[in-house]
Amino acid sequence: MSTAEASEEMLLEFLADPEHLTLDLSTAVSRCARALGLQHAVVYLVDIQQRRLVPQTDVASALPVDGSLAGWAYRTQSLRVEEAEAGGVTAWYPLLDGAERLGVLAVNQTSLTAPSLTRGRALASLIAMMITSKRAFEDSFVRRTRTERMQLPSEMLRALLPPRTIGNAQVVSTAVLEPAYEIGGDAFDHALTGTALHASVFDAMGHDLASGLTSAVSLSACRNARRTDAELPELVESIDEALSRWLPEKFCTGIIAQLDLTTGVLRWSNCGHPAPCSSGATNCSSTRSNGRRTRPWGCRRC
């Protein structure tokens, strides 16, 4: 049996073994790397503010996203190679979950060959899937990518947020919230259907737990209406009714948009924000009374 065939057999045995689903990340990476004939591999995940790459599977120092080759691989989503201090070379592979960047994988090898590069890319893809499938319920990933204590309103809202970046061959949507550990009532949402990109930004009154709850209700109402194929005016109405029913004393503003990927038409609703000054935009904003409050709202098409 050739070396390539032996590596393939080891990898298949690993993937077919049901115990691999319960392995910690360090053990899984070590076994996968060995099965693929790779010398050593280290996983780095980016911190919540995307400033540092934090090691997850080895005792190593965190690396800056700006000013390191690992950070360059992360930012550009491309392979980078450098000489290793202990000899040989280190290849940096980006770890991706679709359009979202998770971090990088460092693979140390005596030398680089076309087959080793292919195996490194395969390992990076496999590890990215492992991380994506487990990070929602394994706190170790969260703890290692935080540099400060998360405030309670932020903790609640972040549990509801979608991935930072989504996309397909036609469009990419990305969002970041700052201050990362004290977001209060700020939230975003984006989603893709076969023909449209849906995006929204919410800002609830205040910076306490109640403001986070207000944005959480707004976010959930938006998704609930969107998933029943509600048109934009109906979707906005659903959010307004949810807040009026469950949190009548609270206020939340937002921008809600739908981009038709077939025609390129963007439709958006400005809910409570000052109207933007853009020449040529059709302003159909109005003010309507909703019992105990009055909220300006509008729809624009561009």
Side-chain angles (χ1 to χ4, degrees), residues 103 121 132 268:
R121 290 192 179 94
T132 302
W268 57 285

Side-chain angles (χ1 to χ4, degrees), residues 84-267:
E85 294 181 0
V89 295
T90 299
W92 297 96
Y93 298 88
L95 294 175
L96 304 172
D97 174 25
E100 186 185 15
R101 298 170 297 180
L102 304 175
V104 293
L105 172 69
V107 177
N108 298 320
Q109 286 289 99
T110 304
S111 61
L112 282 181
T113 63
S116 68
L117 286 174
T118 299
R119 292 195 292 270
R121 290 192 179 94
L123 180 60
S125 296
L126 181 58
I127 290 171
M129 287 188 284
M130 288 181 183
I131 293 170
T132 302
S133 67
K134 294 184 176 183
R135 61 177 171 165
F137 60 86
E138 285 200 7
D139 282 351
S140 58
F141 296 126
V142 176
R143 290 178 178 179
R144 293 171 181 169
T145 54
R146 291 183 180 180
T147 60
E148 299 178 28
R149 181 181 177 84
M150 185 71 66
Q151 299 302 307
L152 181 56
S154 303
E155 190 76 65
M156 178 178 66
L157 270 183
R158 285 199 175 276
L160 299 175
L161 295 181
R164 283 185 298 247
T165 304
I166 62 172
N168 56 25
Q170 296 174 283
V171 66
V172 172
S173 174
T174 189
V176 175
L177 290 174
E178 288 287 355
Y181 299 90
E182 300 177 9
I183 58 177
D186 300 325
F188 69 88
D189 193 25
H190 47 199
L192 285 165
T193 64
T195 59
L197 167 69
H198 302 262
S200 54
V201 178
F202 298 102
D203 182 9
M205 177 183 66
H207 294 85
D208 53 13
L209 189 60
S211 65
L213 180 60
T214 305
S215 287
V217 171
S218 301
L219 192 65
S220 299
C222 179
R223 289 174 176 170
N224 184 255
R226 186 185 72 223
R227 290 165 181 171
T228 57
D229 296 323
E231 290 294 327
L232 189 57
E234 183 184 354
L235 190 150
V236 172
E237 184 74 21
S238 297
I239 300 171
D240 199 43
E241 289 178 354
L243 289 174
S244 297
R245 179 180 179 183
W246 300 108
L247 298 169
E249 301 295 334
K250 299 300 179 181
F251 294 88
C252 183
T253 61
I255 301 290
I256 303 168
Q258 296 176 347
L259 174 64
D260 190 311
L261 301 181
T262 303
T263 64
V265 172
L266 174 69
R267 299 174 64 243

Side-chain angles (χ1 to χ4, degrees), residues 17-29:
D17 185 354
E19 290 188 0
H20 87 271
L21 298 174
T22 61
L23 294 175
D24 64 276
L25 186 63
S26 295
T27 303
V29 170

